[in-house]
Amino acid sequence: MANYIIAIFTILFSSISFAASCCGGGAGSSSIITSDDRMKLQFNYKNSAYLYDVDTDGDVTKRSPENSEVLESFKVSTAYQFDNYFQVAIGASVSKVTKKTSRVRESETNIADINITVGYEFLKEQYFSYWKPRGFVYVTQVLPTGNSKYETKSRLQTDVTGSGFHQTRLGVMFFKLIKEFDFTLDSNLTYYFKERFSSEEVYRYPTIESSLSFGYSPSMGDLRIGGGAAFKYDGHSELIFNNGTRQDSEGIFVTTLNLSLSYMLNDISYGVTYADQTILSGSKNTSLERSLSINLAKAFPL
């Protein structure tokens, strides 16, 4: 059954990735609808190449051409407003991981984790104001439908497409539109439920994320130029093995800068986004990537 689902996702995204471009930011990572629409349907293709590794001291090492890693993700998501303030969103994706060393090359495609979000607009824009934003609070439940690194069976871990944890994310987002300009501030905290795998029990400390994005639409038209920055801190993990031994892993910190270009035509947004984790310093205990996203989003007005 899983193979059929993967095939359906692959067909969907391969059919749109050449003609579509990505709708620019402005709504954060939570899939919350901030426009005057009843529903949005979005298709996304993202290609990420990992170029550097950063240790716990912040020292950066560039990967050699013989040691490459590419992540491709194919995602479909939809959000629906039941009334003017309450909305629900769901997103599912398939990921393809390709790794190559001087001796081995592996590539696998598997289902990734599923996200379900419930949002509510608590700070409403009932009259025009140059300073008062619209405010949203949301709760996202992540279902670990993807394979985790604790369950990997492939030599280079190319079958890893998920976290392995049930997660509950609580976030708040502020959105402001002032003529040609839009601004979005999105912050959230993710709690991980303790999980038991075949050889160990794992507890992850919470993740904190924050992003700030902005956009400019010349003459308030259909073209939008955007940019933004995101910061993410993953707390450390505690592993307790079946033999009673214990192991702790360090936390992760990473920063991302992005640029986007989008165009709206007949309630459909086409665009592209470039994201780069190699520009700002301060990242620790992680791999740094550069990515290109292509997106197609269809809006259904109120």
Side-chain angles (χ1 to χ4, degrees):
M1 181 64 180
N3 291 334
Y4 289 107
I5 297 175
I6 293 172
I8 291 171
F9 269 82
T10 304
I11 292 171
L12 273 175
F13 285 102
S14 63
S15 65
I16 66 166
S17 60
F18 298 102
S21 311
C22 180
C23 77
S29 59
S30 54
S31 301
I32 294 294
I33 297 176
T34 58
S35 56
D36 295 327
D37 295 304
R38 176 65 67 192
M39 187 177 80
K40 282 191 174 181
L41 180 62
Q42 182 167 292
F43 301 91
N44 175 269
Y45 167 76
K46 181 179 179 181
N47 186 298
S48 303
Y50 293 87
L51 305 175
Y52 299 88
D53 294 308
V54 188
D55 63 19
T56 55
D57 295 323
D59 295 327
V60 181
T61 302
K62 185 177 181 179
R63 294 191 179 186
S64 68
E66 295 181 344
N67 181 23
S68 65
E69 179 180 357
V70 175
L71 170 63
E72 297 175 85
S73 62
F74 311 85
K75 182 176 181 180
V76 59
S77 60
T78 184
Y80 183 84
Q81 291 198 75
F82 289 95
D83 54 34
N84 290 333
Y85 307 117
F86 176 75
Q87 57 183 280
V88 173
I90 183 170
S93 59
V94 167
S95 293
K96 178 181 179 181
V97 182
T98 302
K99 293 184 180 181
K100 183 182 69 172
T101 68
S102 58
R103 296 183 178 181
V104 182
R105 184 186 185 277
E106 281 187 3
S107 182
E108 290 200 33
T109 302
N110 290 287
I111 297 172
D113 294 344
I114 292 176
N115 298 268
I116 301 173
T117 299
V118 177
Y120 179 76
E121 186 175 358
F122 71 92
L123 188 59
K124 307 166 182 63
E125 193 174 44
Q126 297 175 333
Y127 57 89
F128 175 78
S129 171
Y130 274 105
W131 62 270
K132 182 182 177 181
R134 296 169 63 191
F136 302 83
V137 62
Y138 60 90
V139 177
T140 298
Q141 186 64 37
V142 179
L143 306 179
T145 49
N147 296 323
S148 74
K149 65 181 180 180
Y150 306 104
E151 305 162 298
T152 182
K153 297 179 180 179
S154 65
R155 183 175 178 181
L156 300 181
Q157 298 189 345
T158 52
D159 57 346
V160 176
T161 57
S163 66
F165 295 86
H166 288 84
Q167 308 169 34
T168 299
R169 181 176 302 130
L170 178 62
V172 61
M173 186 179 71
F174 296 97
F175 175 76
K176 184 61 182 175
L177 179 64
I178 306 176
K179 295 184 178 180
E180 297 95 344
F181 300 92
D182 63 84
F183 305 89
T184 302
L185 176 63
D186 190 351
S187 297
N188 59 71
L189 174 71
T190 300
Y191 172 81
Y192 298 87
F193 293 85
K194 184 182 293 185
E195 301 285 351
R196 173 168 288 280
F197 303 95
S198 59
S199 60
E200 69 266 307
E201 185 178 61
V202 184
Y203 175 74
R204 283 189 60 179
Y205 280 77
T207 290
I208 300 173
E209 294 180 86
S210 186
S211 64
L212 176 64
S213 60
F214 57 89
Y216 170 65
S217 302
S219 302
M220 301 178 66
D222 297 321
L223 177 67
R224 180 183 182 275
I225 304 168
F231 307 87
K232 180 179 180 180
Y233 174 74
D234 276 332
H236 74 277
S237 300
E238 296 178 354
L239 288 74
I240 303 176
F241 296 93
N242 293 340
N243 60 9
T245 60
R246 185 188 185 99
Q247 177 182 331
D248 290 349
S249 65
E250 295 284 343
I252 296 171
F253 182 75
V254 63
T255 60
T256 307
L257 294 179
N258 66 78
L259 293 173
S260 63
L261 181 68
S262 63
Y263 186 80
M264 180 72 71
L265 178 64
N266 298 327
D267 295 324
I268 300 178
S269 177
Y270 307 87
V272 61
T273 298
Y274 170 76
D276 198 325
Q277 296 179 347
T278 68
I279 298 176
L280 296 181
S281 61
S283 297
K284 291 185 178 181
N285 196 31
T286 187
S287 298
L288 304 180
E289 67 177 64
R290 291 174 182 156
S291 67
L292 189 68
S293 299
I294 299 172
N295 194 79
L296 171 68
K298 167 66 176 175
F300 299 85
L302 291 169

